[in-house]
Amino acid sequence: MSSSFWDARYATDDYIFGTAPNRFLESQIAYIQPGMRALSIADGEGRNGVWLAEQGARVHAVDVSPVALEKARKLAAVRGVSLDFEQVDILGWNWPEAAYDLVAAIFIQFAPPPERDRVIAGIRRCLKPGGLLILQGYTPKQIEFGTGGPPNAANMYTAGLLRDWFGDWDILHLAEHESVISEGSHHHGMSALIDLVARKPGG
C-alpha cells in the first residue's frame, strides 16, 4: 500500500488507532530497559514508539506516511519524549545489521507474501544477538470478525508460520487467542490475535 493510501487514512485530527500503546506490547514492560535501542516498525501515529520512549528506550520509529509521522511528533511533544522519526517504506528499506535491542512489530500485516518475506528477513537482520522481538498480529480467523486489519487471509499469521520464521530463536511466548481490543476506531471489537516474544540467539 502506498504512502498516499496511508496519508488519506491518517488525514484526520483523531488518532485512528488511539494514543494508548498496544496492550500486548504494554504487557511486556518487564523487557523494556532504559537506554535500549528500539525499532518500532510502521509506527503510524506514534502510540507504541512514544510509549517505548516513555519507558526510557531510544526509539527509532519508522512509517511510510508523512501525515502519520507528523501526528506522532505531536504526540511525542505532548508526552514530553524524543524519538528518531523516519519516513521509510520498509519493503524497500536497507535494514541495518544488528542495530537494535528491541523490535516492536505491532499489526504490520499490510505486506502479503512474498513481499512480507523481506520484512521478516529485515527483522532477523536488524536485531542484535540477544535482542528481543515483540510481535502482535491477526490470524486468518480475523477475516470473520472484520474488526481491523487487511481483508486478505494471506496477510495473516499462524503459530506455525511464526515458528517457521523464528523457530531457531528462543521463543519466550507464542499464543493465538480471541480477545476484545479497543485501539481507536480502526482496531475495535472481538479479534483473532497472535502474540510472539522471541529472543535472537547470542549476545
Side-chain angles (χ1 to χ4, degrees):
M1 293 179 179
S2 67
S3 60
S4 59
F5 170 88
W6 292 107
D7 286 347
R9 176 164 285 196
Y10 288 123
T12 170
D13 290 338
D14 293 333
Y15 281 72
I16 64 173
F17 297 111
T19 57
N22 170 261
R23 291 285 296 276
F24 178 65
L25 177 63
E26 188 178 32
S27 75
Q28 304 305 307
I29 190 171
Y31 291 117
I32 315 301
Q33 303 298 323
M36 72 188 325
R37 181 72 168 143
L39 173 67
S40 189
I41 302 171
D43 197 48
E45 300 163 310
R47 64 193 181 106
N48 295 317
V50 165
W51 180 82
L52 287 167
E54 288 177 318
Q55 311 316 308
R58 295 180 295 120
V59 180
H60 184 195
V62 299
D63 198 272
V64 72
S65 168
V67 173
L69 289 169
E70 184 57 32
K71 293 171 79 172
R73 289 186 182 94
K74 290 178 181 177
L75 182 62
V78 168
R79 299 278 182 82
V81 293
S82 178
L83 292 78
D84 176 18
F85 291 108
E86 185 179 0
Q87 184 183 353
V88 163
D89 179 351
I90 63 170
L91 294 180
W93 192 34
N94 183 21
W95 296 73
E97 186 171 358
Y100 305 103
D101 304 294
L102 172 74
V103 168
I106 305 298
F107 296 120
I108 62 165
Q109 292 169 290
F110 47 83
E115 290 89 346
R116 180 175 62 191
D117 294 342
R118 279 181 269 160
V119 178
I120 300 305
I123 291 172
R124 291 179 58 90
R125 172 185 171 86
C126 76
L127 264 172
K128 297 176 182 178
L132 200 71
L133 168 64
I134 300 176
L135 175 149
Q136 184 172 67
Y138 292 116
T139 70
K141 190 172 182 180
Q142 177 64 12
I143 300 298
E144 299 174 25
F145 292 123
T147 52
N152 188 349
N155 291 50
M156 307 312 195
Y157 305 145
T158 64
L161 195 57
L162 292 178
R163 286 193 188 96
D164 286 345
W165 292 337
F166 300 107
D168 58 333
W169 291 15
D170 183 12
I171 294 179
L172 306 176
H173 175 84
L174 176 59
E176 296 186 38
H177 58 103
E178 295 174 14
S179 302
V180 174
I181 61 174
S182 181
E183 300 182 345
S185 59
H186 282 60
H187 284 170
H188 191 82
M190 184 61 75
S191 304
L193 304 172
I194 188 164
D195 308 331
L196 173 71
V197 181
R199 190 177 298 282
K200 187 174 181 177

